[in-house]
Amino acid sequence: MSYMEGSQGDPSSTRSRDLCGKMDAGTLEQEKESSVDLQELQNLDYVDDFFCSLCQLREQGLLVDICLALEGRLYQTHCLPLAAVSTFFAEILEQGQRNMVDLEGKATCCGLEALLDFAYEGHCDVSKDSAMEVLRVSEALGAPRVAALCKQFLNPALQDHKEVLASEEKLQNLRGIQELQRHGIGWDLELQADGISLKVHRVILAAGSDFFRGMFTSGMKEAHQDMVSLSTFSSADLSLFISFIYSGSLLLGWDNVFEVTEAALPYQMSGILQLCYRFFRENMESEHSLDVLALAEAFDLPELRQETEDFILRNFKEVAQVPKFQDLKMDQLVALLSQDGLYTTMEFEVFQAVLCWVDEDREARLSQAAKVMKCVRFPLMTNRELRQVIAADLMAPSEKCYKVLEASLLSVPKGPSVLSQLPCRIRLPSHVLVIVGGDSLTRNLSSRVPSQDLWFAHRFISGIGLVKHIEWKALSTLPDMPRFRHAVAVLDNILYVFGGNHFYGKEDVLKSVVRYDPLQDTWERLADMQERHNYFQAVSLGGLLYVLGGNPDNSNTQCLDTVECYDPAKNSWKFVHPLPLPLCGHAAAVSGGKIYVSGGCTGIYHILRDLFHYDPAAGSTHLSPMTHVRGGHVMEALGERLYVAGGLSHGERGYMDLYACEVYSPAEDSWTDIAPLTHTHVVAASVTFLGELYVLGGYSYETYKDTHLVHCYNPKSDRWVNLGTMPKAYTDMKACVLSLPSHLRERTPET
């Protein structure tokens, strides 16, 4: 059942639901095997919040159930988190003897406090003087993971891992608590709802849910009852909530995510809602987008509504073909079609969507057709498309819709057209496409000049007759000097710019690195790379940055096989495993947590077909080679695939421009041809943006002409579209995607 067919926002409505993803932890493995369309999502923010709440309950002395006596001191705490990490406390919990426990002779205050810190925070601070003491206590109390951390501390080579492991240890602690609940150990409360009964721990529910925290810590009668009946819960909802509180994870798929979201909203189960919203963002597809929009509107979820509406506008052609599109109310359809951000390569597609909507219930919708037709921007159509419009029976001269067409065409200003005066379709993405540096010809075409400029694409505009335009604005200027043949990478919305050339001489290759923070609009000079690099690649993976190969001296006779790794936290570089051979003019991208490298040239002008997976620790694994040899090309990850376009190949007289494009499937280790480029792009820039592959600038080897064109490839339509031009015809520049603050975007347009 689709959400649009459901209760439209009544949280108390009766819902018949499959319990997939809502069973207790004991059925989790069975659910994974039987529900291939479900995916398990873990909310690590919930895990952190859970233990933070648990710490607060302990500090406030709420729901504490055990007192530990040691060296004349009393420690009021919760037995359950201790039992999750210590066999000693697990036995106490199972035996039910939790009031007062004397630890004299079994522990020291230093060791016990370290154990408490680990149980509640996932880490314990030990020093050189205390490590052995904590180790002895953890071994005596049966806390093997605390003992392992002490041993890591005592081994200097492993000390860097302590902070990384804290969140993982907390997740393990929660899983230990889940195991205790699964085996019915230490429960102090029985919850009943709609014919089911669940044995739980009051303190865990209070730490995991605002709803239950209020029930058990604010003096309500339920705080003292051994059995609580929840008449407002269905059995499915209660099972869902308890399973999530004890695990921080859910099994979600399109078959249950709407019902899970609807169940969590009345009780403000924020951890569950975060996972549902994450599922919607990461798995949004045309078939379900209108259901998500209806959900967001029914429950007044503005952020989800905006994201879903953006998806629908970006993918209008596909969404219009979904059967649920025909069920939209007139006001809903008008609201969508009126948006400037509606993306379509042909305005005629909007007209066709309106015709189909009217024909779905012609008798009832004929009177509404003219109002909806006013949203179609007829001046954006070609003469051929307008002839097709007039041929439709709904557009007969006697019909109201024909008068809408007439009025729309007459609204176009006479004389030279200005885009701001036309009924344009405008894409105004939340993130922006940025181009960095490059070089270009001077205005008199007499020489080339490197660039220090950063530009961003503020808006994408479709004008009359499918003429497209990109509104560019100046973002910033590279500090110190211009750069071309450089590399860029983005980490946590910070732009890093590496090496490249600042001029055309043999010694003009750079080692320097700078980074730009768009939120602060500031630049910072970082530690230099250990070698000079141009015609190379940079990628971000696991919080680190890698630069791969390149040319060290502009001689075009040698390439590098070295790979350098930059750690932003330490502002330092180190060499890691080298490439399998020296390369320059290659392409690199990250997909599925792996670095892939394709094509490029060796130092003897030989272009390659190679594709390999590069592991900084273990080296390279060669994969199926590309169909064509390529150098100076682009490669980007989109979805679960790698898309390759442009560049040079071998020709009868040396090199030749390459129009052919191809896509690689890591799962199948195979290449497939896709639509070829309509224009050559050698040493161009590229990004993935709004679900499409963008290729910008570059030059043609055969004509030696630069290009200022921007093309994008849509995988769903297998089609390249010319989106407009750059501020200049740049080559050897780079591109990326950043989130900019509003004050930078609101600057006066430059081009």
Side-chain angles (χ1 to χ4, degrees), residues 716-732:
K716 295 178 181 178
S717 63
D718 187 28
R719 179 178 179 182
W720 289 94
V721 176
N722 178 5
L723 293 182
T725 62
M726 297 187 298
K728 294 181 181 179
Y730 289 111
T731 65
D732 288 313

PDB file of all heavy atoms in Angstrom, residues 716-732:
ATOM      1  N   LYS A 716      20.235   7.822 -16.511  1.00  0.00           N
ATOM      2  CA  LYS A 716      18.910   7.247 -16.761  1.00  0.00           C
ATOM      3  C   LYS A 716      18.499   7.389 -18.226  1.00  0.00           C
ATOM      4  O   LYS A 716      17.865   6.498 -18.791  1.00  0.00           O
ATOM      5  CB  LYS A 716      17.874   7.914 -15.849  1.00  0.00           C
ATOM      6  CG  LYS A 716      18.112   7.630 -14.371  1.00  0.00           C
ATOM      7  CD  LYS A 716      17.098   8.346 -13.496  1.00  0.00           C
ATOM      8  CE  LYS A 716      17.356   8.063 -12.025  1.00  0.00           C
ATOM      9  NZ  LYS A 716      16.402   8.801 -11.150  1.00  0.00           N
ATOM     10  N   SER A 717      18.857   8.512 -18.831  1.00  0.00           N
ATOM     11  CA  SER A 717      18.485   8.728 -20.237  1.00  0.00           C
ATOM     12  C   SER A 717      19.614   8.370 -21.198  1.00  0.00           C
ATOM     13  O   SER A 717      19.406   8.359 -22.403  1.00  0.00           O
ATOM     14  CB  SER A 717      18.079  10.192 -20.444  1.00  0.00           C
ATOM     15  OG  SER A 717      19.182  11.055 -20.181  1.00  0.00           O
ATOM     16  N   ASP A 718      20.819   8.070 -20.669  1.00  0.00           N
ATOM     17  CA  ASP A 718      22.002   7.793 -21.494  1.00  0.00           C
ATOM     18  C   ASP A 718      22.167   8.891 -22.537  1.00  0.00           C
ATOM     19  O   ASP A 718      22.261   8.643 -23.736  1.00  0.00           O
ATOM     20  CB  ASP A 718      21.881   6.424 -22.172  1.00  0.00           C
ATOM     21  CG  ASP A 718      23.167   6.027 -22.899  1.00  0.00           C
ATOM     22  OD1 ASP A 718      24.249   6.474 -22.479  1.00  0.00           O
ATOM     23  OD2 ASP A 718      23.079   5.269 -23.887  1.00  0.00           O
ATOM     24  N   ARG A 719      22.229  10.123 -22.036  1.00  0.00           N
ATOM     25  CA  ARG A 719      22.257  11.263 -22.951  1.00  0.00           C
ATOM     26  C   ARG A 719      23.144  12.376 -22.389  1.00  0.00           C
ATOM     27  O   ARG A 719      23.131  12.645 -21.191  1.00  0.00           O
ATOM     28  CB  ARG A 719      20.830  11.789 -23.130  1.00  0.00           C
ATOM     29  CG  ARG A 719      20.704  12.989 -24.025  1.00  0.00           C
ATOM     30  CD  ARG A 719      19.257  13.392 -24.157  1.00  0.00           C
ATOM     31  NE  ARG A 719      19.098  14.559 -25.007  1.00  0.00           N
ATOM     32  CZ  ARG A 719      17.947  15.161 -25.267  1.00  0.00           C
ATOM     33  NH1 ARG A 719      16.835  14.669 -24.764  1.00  0.00           N
ATOM     34  NH2 ARG A 719      17.893  16.226 -26.032  1.00  0.00           N
ATOM     35  N   TRP A 720      23.934  13.000 -23.274  1.00  0.00           N
ATOM     36  CA  TRP A 720      24.728  14.169 -22.927  1.00  0.00           C
ATOM     37  C   TRP A 720      23.967  15.433 -23.296  1.00  0.00           C
ATOM     38  O   TRP A 720      23.376  15.515 -24.369  1.00  0.00           O
ATOM     39  CB  TRP A 720      26.064  14.165 -23.659  1.00  0.00           C
ATOM     40  CG  TRP A 720      27.027  13.129 -23.175  1.00  0.00           C
ATOM     41  CD1 TRP A 720      27.216  11.871 -23.668  1.00  0.00           C
ATOM     42  CD2 TRP A 720      27.940  13.262 -22.074  1.00  0.00           C
ATOM     43  NE1 TRP A 720      28.187  11.205 -22.953  1.00  0.00           N
ATOM     44  CE2 TRP A 720      28.656  12.035 -21.970  1.00  0.00           C
ATOM     45  CE3 TRP A 720      28.227  14.285 -21.166  1.00  0.00           C
ATOM     46  CZ2 TRP A 720      29.626  11.835 -20.997  1.00  0.00           C
ATOM     47  CZ3 TRP A 720      29.199  14.082 -20.204  1.00  0.00           C
ATOM     48  CH2 TRP A 720      29.882  12.865 -20.127  1.00  0.00           C
ATOM     49  N   VAL A 721      23.993  16.422 -22.403  1.00  0.00           N
ATOM     50  CA  VAL A 721      23.301  17.687 -22.643  1.00  0.00           C
ATOM     51  C   VAL A 721      24.286  18.833 -22.437  1.00  0.00           C
ATOM     52  O   VAL A 721      25.066  18.830 -21.485  1.00  0.00           O
ATOM     53  CB  VAL A 721      22.099  17.856 -21.685  1.00  0.00           C
ATOM     54  CG1 VAL A 721      21.448  19.224 -21.876  1.00  0.00           C
ATOM     55  CG2 VAL A 721      21.079  16.752 -21.906  1.00  0.00           C
ATOM     56  N   ASN A 722      24.265  19.810 -23.335  1.00  0.00           N
ATOM     57  CA  ASN A 722      25.067  21.017 -23.194  1.00  0.00           C
ATOM     58  C   ASN A 722      24.328  21.969 -22.259  1.00  0.00           C
ATOM     59  O   ASN A 722      23.250  22.470 -22.583  1.00  0.00           O
ATOM     60  CB  ASN A 722      25.277  21.656 -24.568  1.00  0.00           C
ATOM     61  CG  ASN A 722      26.059  22.957 -24.476  1.00  0.00           C
ATOM     62  OD1 ASN A 722      26.532  23.349 -23.412  1.00  0.00           O
ATOM     63  ND2 ASN A 722      26.191  23.644 -25.605  1.00  0.00           N
ATOM     64  N   LEU A 723      24.910  22.245 -21.086  1.00  0.00           N
ATOM     65  CA  LEU A 723      24.244  23.091 -20.089  1.00  0.00           C
ATOM     66  C   LEU A 723      24.587  24.565 -20.240  1.00  0.00           C
ATOM     67  O   LEU A 723      23.964  25.404 -19.593  1.00  0.00           O
ATOM     68  CB  LEU A 723      24.633  22.640 -18.682  1.00  0.00           C
ATOM     69  CG  LEU A 723      24.140  21.264 -18.250  1.00  0.00           C
ATOM     70  CD1 LEU A 723      24.563  20.989 -16.821  1.00  0.00           C
ATOM     71  CD2 LEU A 723      22.631  21.157 -18.383  1.00  0.00           C
ATOM     72  N   GLY A 724      25.581  24.901 -21.047  1.00  0.00           N
ATOM     73  CA  GLY A 724      25.997  26.292 -21.182  1.00  0.00           C
ATOM     74  C   GLY A 724      27.505  26.389 -21.228  1.00  0.00           C
ATOM     75  O   GLY A 724      28.193  25.438 -21.605  1.00  0.00           O
ATOM     76  N   THR A 725      28.030  27.523 -20.815  1.00  0.00           N
ATOM     77  CA  THR A 725      29.463  27.774 -20.923  1.00  0.00           C
ATOM     78  C   THR A 725      30.048  28.221 -19.591  1.00  0.00           C
ATOM     79  O   THR A 725      29.344  28.661 -18.690  1.00  0.00           O
ATOM     80  CB  THR A 725      29.750  28.855 -21.978  1.00  0.00           C
ATOM     81  OG1 THR A 725      29.123  30.074 -21.561  1.00  0.00           O
ATOM     82  CG2 THR A 725      29.221  28.446 -23.336  1.00  0.00           C
ATOM     83  N   MET A 726      31.372  28.119 -19.487  1.00  0.00           N
ATOM     84  CA  MET A 726      32.109  28.643 -18.338  1.00  0.00           C
ATOM     85  C   MET A 726      32.424  30.122 -18.566  1.00  0.00           C
ATOM     86  O   MET A 726      32.243  30.642 -19.669  1.00  0.00           O
ATOM     87  CB  MET A 726      33.398  27.846 -18.159  1.00  0.00           C
ATOM     88  CG  MET A 726      33.190  26.385 -17.840  1.00  0.00           C
ATOM     89  SD  MET A 726      34.755  25.554 -17.450  1.00  0.00           S
ATOM     90  CE  MET A 726      35.640  25.741 -19.003  1.00  0.00           C
ATOM     91  N   PRO A 727      32.912  30.808 -17.526  1.00  0.00           N
ATOM     92  CA  PRO A 727      33.274  32.220 -17.726  1.00  0.00           C
ATOM     93  C   PRO A 727      34.320  32.410 -18.812  1.00  0.00           C
ATOM     94  O   PRO A 727      34.336  33.417 -19.511  1.00  0.00           O
ATOM     95  CB  PRO A 727      33.826  32.638 -16.354  1.00  0.00           C
ATOM     96  CG  PRO A 727      33.210  31.694 -15.386  1.00  0.00           C
ATOM     97  CD  PRO A 727      33.052  30.403 -16.118  1.00  0.00           C
ATOM     98  N   LYS A 728      35.244  31.430 -18.945  1.00  0.00           N
ATOM     99  CA  LYS A 728      36.265  31.443 -19.987  1.00  0.00           C
ATOM    100  C   LYS A 728      36.466  30.016 -20.475  1.00  0.00           C
ATOM    101  O   LYS A 728      36.020  29.064 -19.838  1.00  0.00           O
ATOM    102  CB  LYS A 728      37.600  31.987 -19.461  1.00  0.00           C
ATOM    103  CG  LYS A 728      37.600  33.436 -19.064  1.00  0.00           C
ATOM    104  CD  LYS A 728      38.989  33.860 -18.586  1.00  0.00           C
ATOM    105  CE  LYS A 728      39.017  35.310 -18.148  1.00  0.00           C
ATOM    106  NZ  LYS A 728      40.374  35.708 -17.647  1.00  0.00           N
ATOM    107  N   ALA A 729      37.170  29.883 -21.592  1.00  0.00           N
ATOM    108  CA  ALA A 729      37.509  28.554 -22.105  1.00  0.00           C
ATOM    109  C   ALA A 729      38.766  28.065 -21.395  1.00  0.00           C
ATOM    110  O   ALA A 729      39.887  28.286 -21.850  1.00  0.00           O
ATOM    111  CB  ALA A 729      37.722  28.613 -23.620  1.00  0.00           C
ATOM    112  N   TYR A 730      38.585  27.419 -20.242  1.00  0.00           N
ATOM    113  CA  TYR A 730      39.708  26.955 -19.427  1.00  0.00           C
ATOM    114  C   TYR A 730      40.118  25.535 -19.809  1.00  0.00           C
ATOM    115  O   TYR A 730      39.288  24.696 -20.155  1.00  0.00           O
ATOM    116  CB  TYR A 730      39.326  26.944 -17.949  1.00  0.00           C
ATOM    117  CG  TYR A 730      39.180  28.304 -17.318  1.00  0.00           C
ATOM    118  CD1 TYR A 730      37.928  28.773 -16.924  1.00  0.00           C
ATOM    119  CD2 TYR A 730      40.291  29.104 -17.077  1.00  0.00           C
ATOM    120  CE1 TYR A 730      37.788  30.008 -16.312  1.00  0.00           C
ATOM    121  CE2 TYR A 730      40.159  30.342 -16.466  1.00  0.00           C
ATOM    122  CZ  TYR A 730      38.899  30.789 -16.091  1.00  0.00           C
ATOM    123  OH  TYR A 730      38.774  32.014 -15.491  1.00  0.00           O
ATOM    124  N   THR A 731      41.419  25.263 -19.699  1.00  0.00           N
ATOM    125  CA  THR A 731      41.924  23.887 -19.721  1.00  0.00           C
ATOM    126  C   THR A 731      42.756  23.679 -18.467  1.00  0.00           C
ATOM    127  O   THR A 731      43.142  24.643 -17.782  1.00  0.00           O
ATOM    128  CB  THR A 731      42.798  23.612 -20.960  1.00  0.00           C
ATOM    129  OG1 THR A 731      43.976  24.420 -20.882  1.00  0.00           O
ATOM    130  CG2 THR A 731      42.053  23.923 -22.235  1.00  0.00           C
ATOM    131  N   ASP A 732      43.057  22.410 -18.176  1.00  0.00           N
ATOM    132  CA  ASP A 732      43.907  22.070 -17.033  1.00  0.00           C
ATOM    133  C   ASP A 732      43.415  22.675 -15.724  1.00  0.00           C
ATOM    134  O   ASP A 732      44.203  22.996 -14.834  1.00  0.00           O
ATOM    135  CB  ASP A 732      45.356  22.511 -17.284  1.00  0.00           C
ATOM    136  CG  ASP A 732      46.042  21.638 -18.336  1.00  0.00           C
ATOM    137  OD1 ASP A 732      45.927  20.416 -18.239  1.00  0.00           O
ATOM    138  OD2 ASP A 732      46.674  22.202 -19.241  1.00  0.00           O
TER     139      ASP A 732
END
